């Protein structure tokens, strides 16, 4: 199989590894649907990357984060509240700074990564995307600095994989396009919070101009 057209210039392409952390994997408090299954394919891409730059994002919340259901009396995980003028899903406590569940998955070769970007550190603002935080009290979504880093590395195309498909990976891919990058979403190297959202996720990605690809499309 020929490589996907997104890889015509691999030296100026980045692989974004989104939130591949134990708390989002099979035994975690915010487990995705069979999240562990992406590990072999992700490891293969990391060991023989199809592109020149590798970046990992790491969800890194302080205890008592505003997105935790436990921070809101009478609320349960997966309830939705209004926060800073927008819907906010309340999650089980997850990826708390300094805990084992917040570490990057220990079975992957993180020494191959050029940059590890921590997000979700503001106790009052959630952060799904690797490129921008969610809305803050001022109604804005401030950048994380990832776009500037990639531009200074000469990157014009990003390939996105990781957890969770229908939240942080989707938002990262959509924000990549908004930031002016070409974006590919490696569908089989993501897993969702629930497969019920798969069709809506694909529709949203296509509407944003994100290319949906498979890992096999990235090999010669």
């Amino acid at each position: 199989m020929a490589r996907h057209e997104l890889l015509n210039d691999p030296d100026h392409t980045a692989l974004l590894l989104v939130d591949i952390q134990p708390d989002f994997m099979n035994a975690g408090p915010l487990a995705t649907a069979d999240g562990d299954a992406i590990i072999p394919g992700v490891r293969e891409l990391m060991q023989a990357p199809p592109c020149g730059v590798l970046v990992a994002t790491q969800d890194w919340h302080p205890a008592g984060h505003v997105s935790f259901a436990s921070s809101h009396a009478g609320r349960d995980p997966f309830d939705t509240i209004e926060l800073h003028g927008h819907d906010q899903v309340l999650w089980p406590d997850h990826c708390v700074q300094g805990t084992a569940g917040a570490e990057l998955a220990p079975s992957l070769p993180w020494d191959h990564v050029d940059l590890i970007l921590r997000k979700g550190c503001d106790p009052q603002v959630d952060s799904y995307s690797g490129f921008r935080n969610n809305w803050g009290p001022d109604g804005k979504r401030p950048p994380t600095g990832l776009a500037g880093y990639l531009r200074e590395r000469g990157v014009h195309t990003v390939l996105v994989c990781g957890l969770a498909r229908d939240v942080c990976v989707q938002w990262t891919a959509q924000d990549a396009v908004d930031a002016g990058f070409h974006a590919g979403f490696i569908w089989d190297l993501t897993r969702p919070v629930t497969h019920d959202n798969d069709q809506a996720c694909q529709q949203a990605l296509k509407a944003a101009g994100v290319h949906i690809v498979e890992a096999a499309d990235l090999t010669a």
Side-chain angles (χ1 to χ4, degrees), residues 140-158:
K140 297 179 181 179
R141 294 185 59 206
T144 64
L146 178 57
Y149 172 83
L150 293 175
R151 289 192 189 103
E152 290 203 355
R153 293 293 303 267
V155 169
H156 54 60
T157 299
V158 298

Side-chain angles (χ1 to χ4, degrees), residues 81-102:
I81 64 168
E82 183 178 298
L83 180 66
H84 308 316
H86 295 269
D87 286 348
Q88 170 69 51
V89 176
L90 298 179
W91 306 107
D93 289 25
H94 65 281
C95 297
V96 174
Q97 297 171 4
T99 64

Side-chain angles (χ1 to χ4, degrees), residues 9 12 14-15 22 50 60 62 65 94 106 124 128 130 174 189 193 213 219:
D9 191 4
H12 297 95
L15 177 64
W60 194 249
H65 192 265
H94 65 281
Q124 296 303 317
Y128 298 159
Q174 291 170 320
L189 295 185
V193 174
V213 300
T219 58

Side-chain angles (χ1 to χ4, degrees), residues 5-201:
E5 61 184 8
L6 282 170
L7 284 176
N8 287 343
D9 191 4
D11 290 342
H12 297 95
T13 301
L15 177 64
L16 305 185
L17 305 142
V18 177
D19 298 358
I20 307 178
Q21 299 166 256
D23 275 358
F24 296 126
M25 300 173 75
N26 290 11
L30 187 44
T32 53
D34 199 23
D36 293 49
I38 73 169
I39 294 296
V42 170
R43 184 186 301 114
E44 184 176 346
L45 278 187
M46 293 176 72
Q47 290 174 333
C51 47
V53 177
L54 275 67
V55 173
T57 68
Q58 185 176 17
D59 221 26
W60 194 249
H61 295 306
H65 192 265
V66 72
S67 70
F68 297 166
S70 62
S71 298
H72 303 269
R75 294 291 189 169
D76 296 319
F78 305 105
D79 283 353
T80 300
I81 64 168
E82 183 178 298
L83 180 66
H84 308 316
H86 295 269
D87 286 348
Q88 170 69 51
V89 176
L90 298 179
W91 306 107
D93 289 25
H94 65 281
C95 297
V96 174
Q97 297 171 4
T99 64
E103 297 302 317
L104 295 172
S107 57
L108 292 175
W110 298 109
D111 55 316
H112 291 238
V113 169
D114 299 290
L115 173 72
I116 296 172
L117 186 146
R118 287 176 168 170
K119 61 186 182 66
C121 306
D122 186 329
Q124 296 303 317
V125 180
D126 211 353
S127 188
Y128 298 159
S129 168
F131 288 93
R132 293 190 293 169
N133 295 331
N134 293 15
W135 294 273
D138 61 358
K140 297 179 181 179
R141 294 185 59 206
T144 64
L146 178 57
Y149 172 83
L150 293 175
R151 289 192 189 103
E152 290 203 355
R153 293 293 303 267
V155 169
H156 54 60
T157 299
V158 298
L159 304 169
V160 187
C161 64
L163 304 170
R165 170 187 291 165
D166 47 341
V167 188
C168 294
V169 190
Q170 179 180 329
W171 282 51
T172 297
Q174 291 170 320
D175 278 350
V177 174
D178 286 344
F181 297 95
H182 301 294
F185 191 100
I186 312 173
W187 187 262
D188 56 327
L189 295 185
T190 67
R191 290 296 186 276
V193 174
T194 169
H195 283 293
D196 292 345
N197 296 331
D198 280 351
Q199 184 175 2
C201 179

